[in-house]
Amino acid sequence: MLWLLAGLACRPADCDSGYADQDGDGFGAGPLQDCVAGDSLSLVQGDCDDHDPEVHPGAQEAPADGTDSDCDGLELCYVDQDGDGHGIDLLWESEQLDCASLGVPDCDDADPHTYPSAEEIPGNATDNDCDGFELCYEDQDGDGVGSSLTSESLRLDCSLNDQVSITGDCDDADPAVHPFATETPVDGVDGNCDGLELCYLDQDGDDWAGTETHLSESISCSGPKDGLYRYDCDDSEPLVNPGLSEVCGDGLDNDCSGEYAECGPYGALFMTGADLLLFGERGQSAGIHLLADDFSGDGQIDLLIGSRGESEAGAAYLHVGPLRTSAFVESDADQALWASNTVGLLGRPSASGDLNDDGQTDLVLYGYNPPYADAYGDGSVYLLFGPLTSSKAADTHAGHDWWSDGSSAARHGSALLIDDLDNDGVQDLLVGAHGDSSSSYLGGAVYLYLGPMSAPSTSSGGEAALTWTGDTEDAVGDSLASGDLNGDGIEDLVVGASKDTSQNGSVFVLYGPPTQGSLKLVADLQLNGSGSEEAGAELLIADWNGDGNPELAVGAPAYSLNTGRVYILDSLSAGAIGSVASATLTGAGTESSAGTAMSTGCDVNGDGSPDLVLGSRSLTKAGRATLILGDSWSSALDVEAISSTQVRDSSDARDVGQAVLCMPDSNGDGFGELVVAAPEALGGSGIVSLWFGGGH
């Protein structure tokens, strides 16, 4: 009944007394009082705020407004289940007028990060601030990663509006640049947006990097450890990189030009690409033999080129150094030495030295069939004292100063060597005759002529001081070499017999000085080939490994179906050559005949070590030559694998490597040269190719 009277105010004419109702909401407050003219009184007491007409008993309680609207002493508050200060649908009455939850309802009371006025988190598929929108990142380049630019979306899934939920793109105009991209080295772009660039690592500070990379704060790769250029072959040495010029002889590959070759020729070379070309003429097969020395007496190295010549008479053409331009072997030669008979084959082989002890270089030539003998292939040796000053028929009495003839089919001169064998300070002449049968059939022989030698007073070259002969079919005298092999200061002699023991071949070592007389060849040390490899067909002695003691190189061109081998012997002991060799150089394949020709005695790269040139005259292919620098071999390697230099066939060059020459400096730059002959090139005219050493 009391609540039914609420809102009924009385006037003094209506009642005698009531409660003051100052806000006119029908509910009074304070003590009962008498009516006075003008007063507004309520018959109902209980207004808890008589100044607010919205506050009185029975009023509608507004949640979380901080007011007890119905005057029951309680506030209606939202239940805040996630503790973020905002509630949602659930209500409860609290004795605290200041509700912990604010008056704006929470749109997700299970997530403390979601409520009205919360900070919107872009791209999390949640309307954090309860405004009905999601904040997404703009992806202008379509790479799936946005920049810092954001926009509102009505959809919680950003991808439905061509927006993305991931940020961090440092270049939103380039789809290849984003945090998940793979960094490309040295492109000037921070591809993965980490603030770093992937640069090539320059460890030696020469601006050239090796193969390693590192992360640099310099996007342009200009930091202290960044390489501006790549492909430094030695990143621990600042004096080595592809941008430098080669400094020959410093032990460094300064310009990173080759694995083995520091200076001079290297890589795959072709005959027609040489620095200097000497062309044969009229099918003369120029280049069947090569020899270099100062024949003209001017202090320069000259080149002697052997040729079959017209009608196979044979000739040797002298080109006086310094050699600087290409030329024709015959017509441009400074001097010509030729054979007067038609089958002389003059100049294959030849040798040089000072045999008359006058300080000038003398020349010794082999003639296959002497004009003074009827037997075919007897062979003769012709000596011409230097200096050579004019062209001449070297096999006539007027054309030479001394000669020695062989017996029937002896091939007298098949090997020639000049050295001081008797240790008297004057050089001597050794002549091989591998067809000699004077002691036994095809046993071969070696003749020693002691210096000083002079022009004979008779028509004969005189008798040899010492003759060594072989047993039946030994072919002693195939090859000759000399050097101090036992370290006693006296030159020792090595004799090859490639046909010994059914063409296995043998090598005989005779320690000097020799004993005069004539005797069967009894060696101080004998090394034997095997498998019909013709060991001893070629011989060389030099200190290739730089230990101060010479090594012996033995050519075996018939090894394994003419694949060919060269054995390097660092120390000598009797037995099979293959078992005592310290290094074995094997040809490139069947019929390559590695070791057909060998030459040493020059230094093409200036490292102080003598280099070795191998000729591989193939029986069925074009042939090739290999330059091996100093100590470049290991215990057993393919010839092609050990050297940076391979001279091969070109379109018109055949028989490459029949003759090779490791030539001393011919152009005055201090470096040796590589010379390779292809006698069958140009239809049998022949080409001699020369590459200058020393990084010219």
Side-chain angles (χ1 to χ4, degrees), residues 42-313:
S42 173
L43 298 178
V44 182
Q45 188 185 28
D47 197 339
C48 55
D49 186 355
D50 204 28
H51 298 287
D52 187 349
E54 302 296 327
V55 177
H56 55 79
Q60 180 68 41
E61 187 74 58
D65 62 353
T67 303
D68 180 16
S69 302
D70 61 359
C71 295
D72 64 353
L74 302 172
E75 168 67 313
L76 192 61
C77 298
Y78 291 105
V79 177
D80 181 16
Q81 299 186 82
D82 56 12
D84 58 8
H86 294 267
I88 199 169
D89 298 331
L90 298 178
L91 298 171
W92 66 291
E93 290 186 322
S94 172
E95 294 180 355
Q96 303 290 329
L97 292 181
D98 56 342
C99 294
S101 61
L102 302 177
V104 181
D106 198 340
C107 57
D108 186 353
D109 206 30
D111 185 357
H113 301 293
T114 299
Y115 55 86
S117 76
E119 182 180 356
E120 187 69 53
I121 300 174
N124 65 345
T126 302
D127 180 17
N128 298 97
D129 60 1
C130 297
D131 66 351
F133 298 93
E134 168 65 320
L135 195 61
C136 298
Y137 296 105
E138 296 291 331
D139 180 20
Q140 301 183 45
D141 56 11
D143 58 9
V145 183
S147 64
S148 58
L149 185 64
T150 58
S151 61
E152 289 188 324
S153 172
L154 289 172
R155 299 178 178 179
L156 295 181
D157 186 353
C158 294
S159 65
L160 298 177
N161 289 337
D162 295 326
Q163 299 168 307
V164 295
S165 59
I166 304 173
T167 189
D169 198 338
C170 53
D171 186 353
D172 207 28
D174 187 348
V177 177
H178 54 81
F180 308 104
T182 300
E183 190 73 59
T184 301
V186 200
D187 62 350
V189 177
D190 180 16
N192 63 359
C193 297
D194 63 352
L196 304 172
E197 170 66 315
L198 190 62
C199 300
Y200 296 114
L201 180 61
D202 174 24
Q203 301 188 76
D204 56 15
D206 59 3
D207 291 333
W208 286 81
T211 58
E212 295 185 48
T213 58
H214 77 125
L215 292 173
S216 173
E217 294 182 356
S218 171
I219 301 299
S220 61
C221 289
S222 57
K225 288 293 186 179
D226 300 337
L228 297 176
Y229 315 100
R230 206 182 171 195
Y231 305 114
D232 194 342
C233 59
D234 185 355
D235 205 28
S236 65
E237 173 54 68
L239 298 178
V240 174
N241 64 64
L244 294 176
S245 298
E246 189 62 58
V247 179
C248 298
D250 67 348
L252 300 173
D253 183 14
N254 306 93
D255 60 359
C256 294
S257 58
E259 184 179 357
Y260 300 101
E262 180 191 347
C263 293
Y266 61 89
L269 304 179
F270 293 89
M271 294 292 293
T272 54
D275 295 306
L276 190 151
L277 294 172
L278 299 167
F279 298 97
E281 300 168 78
R282 298 190 300 275
Q284 64 182 205
S285 297
I288 61 172
H289 189 71
L290 302 170
L291 184 65
D293 212 325
D294 178 17
F295 298 106
S296 61
D298 62 356
Q300 302 288 333
I301 296 297
D302 311 315
L303 177 62
L304 190 75
I305 300 175
S307 167
R308 289 193 179 92
E310 298 181 26
S311 303
E312 297 206 354

Side-chain angles (χ1 to χ4, degrees), residues 230 256 278 300 489 537 549 556 580 614 617 628 663 666 677 692:
R230 206 182 171 195
C256 294
L278 299 167
Q300 302 288 333
N549 299 308
V580 300
L614 303 181
R617 179 202 176 189
I628 304 172
M663 184 178 179
S666 69
F692 293 117

Side-chain angles (χ1 to χ4, degrees), residues 1-8 19 26-28 42-47 57:
M1 185 64 180
L2 179 62
W3 296 109
L4 292 176
L5 297 175
L8 298 178
Y19 300 97
F27 292 86
S42 173
L43 298 178
V44 182
Q45 188 185 28
D47 197 339

